[in-house]
Amino acid sequence: MSNPQRIIDLTINLSDDLNGVEISSVKTIEKDGWNTSYYKIYSHVGTHMDAPRHFGNADQAIDEIAVGRFITPAWIIDATDVGPKGFITLRHLGVLLSEFSPGESLIIKTGWSSRLGTPEYLDDLPRISKELAEWCVENRVNILAVEQPSVADVHNLEEVTEIHKILMDGDVIIVESLINVEQITAAKVTMIAMPLKVKDGDGAPARVVAIL
């Protein structure tokens, strides 16, 4: 029987090519009869989820977020017109301003993942505007997911702290560094974002997929 669903993987591969990842062999088939490895991973490397503990808003760690929130309907927001260091604003929501239902999620499409591996990927990223962050809180967005490695300018401590605190104080889950968003053709998908269950973690790499 054919499956009408199409599943798109929105997750960056974790490899030694990424800053914050170290993978080393422990045992090999040739020497030991099986393969095993050590993984040393930065908590916010690649596609990942932030926990409120990340910016000290609350003491909620990544393992304490209700698992039911990780499977969610998500609207695709086209913000591909936003250039380097630009702001994603309420204008990009369009008709969603009236159609969004509390508890749903947003995936922001910017095309920024095409810059993965370049200096501008981190240095010149588009940012979530304060008004959009506040709208997400007021409308009870479940997960705000973006292609860029942060929702705000990581070189501006005041801005990055403000935007994260607005969202986290408002109980909006943040997922960053998506890829393959351009493959999503539907206006709305089911998103699954499952972070590693790290005790007392401030964040963790996550496997994120979209189901059309």
Side-chain angles (χ1 to χ4, degrees), residues 80-101:
T80 52
D81 64 329
V82 178
K85 299 185 178 181
F87 283 104
I88 303 162
T89 69
L90 290 181
R91 171 179 66 84
H92 293 98
L93 297 184
V95 297
L96 204 59
L97 289 170
S98 59
E99 294 184 3
F100 184 85
S101 296

Side-chain angles (χ1 to χ4, degrees), residues 7-190:
I7 301 176
I8 299 175
D9 193 345
L10 306 179
T11 314
I12 294 172
N13 282 343
L14 295 181
S15 70
D16 280 321
D17 297 333
L18 291 177
N19 289 331
V21 178
E22 295 179 21
I23 301 175
S24 58
S25 175
V26 177
K27 293 183 181 294
T28 66
I29 288 178
E30 292 76 16
K31 288 184 177 181
D32 310 289
W34 61 83
N35 290 318
T36 59
S37 305
Y38 276 124
Y39 300 156
K40 184 176 180 180
I41 304 173
Y42 176 60
S43 59
H44 296 262
V45 72
T47 306
H48 65 278
M49 182 180 292
D50 292 349
R53 176 168 290 187
H54 183 35
F55 273 85
N57 302 53
D59 202 36
Q60 187 183 47
I62 197 72
D63 61 309
E64 297 169 331
I65 300 174
V67 70
R69 298 185 64 181
F70 300 155
I71 304 175
T72 175
W75 293 91
I76 311 304
I77 305 304
D78 189 345
T80 52
D81 64 329
V82 178
K85 299 185 178 181
F87 283 104
I88 303 162
T89 69
L90 290 181
R91 171 179 66 84
H92 293 98
L93 297 184
V95 297
L96 204 59
L97 289 170
S98 59
E99 294 184 3
F100 184 85
S101 296
E104 296 179 325
S105 298
L106 302 178
I107 296 173
I108 310 294
K109 181 190 294 187
T110 57
W112 201 250
S113 60
S114 65
R115 294 167 170 80
L116 181 64
T118 70
E120 66 177 338
Y121 178 69
L122 183 65
D123 295 341
D124 299 332
L125 54 79
R127 301 113 82 201
I128 299 297
S129 68
K130 182 179 179 181
E131 65 172 352
L132 179 53
E134 291 173 340
W135 183 92
C136 289
V137 172
E138 292 166 4
N139 289 273
R140 291 170 50 200
V141 169
N142 178 28
I143 296 177
L144 176 63
V146 300
E147 290 187 60
Q148 53 270 31
S150 176
V151 292
D153 182 357
V154 295
H155 300 302
N156 182 330
L157 181 59
E158 181 179 354
E159 177 186 311
V160 77
T161 300
E162 179 182 41
I163 299 303
H164 277 84
K165 280 186 171 290
I166 288 172
L167 294 168
M168 290 175 168
D169 281 345
D171 198 29
V172 178
I173 295 173
I174 300 170
V175 171
E176 297 164 327
S177 293
L178 299 181
I179 60 171
N180 298 329
V181 178
E182 73 283 354
Q183 296 182 22
I184 301 176
T185 55
K188 192 177 185 181
V189 300
T190 296

Side-chain angles (χ1 to χ4, degrees), residues 182-200:
E182 73 283 354
Q183 296 182 22
I184 301 176
T185 55
K188 192 177 185 181
V189 300
T190 296
M191 176 169 61
I192 302 176
M194 300 293 288
L196 292 175
K197 191 176 181 181
V198 180
K199 182 174 174 56
D200 299 328

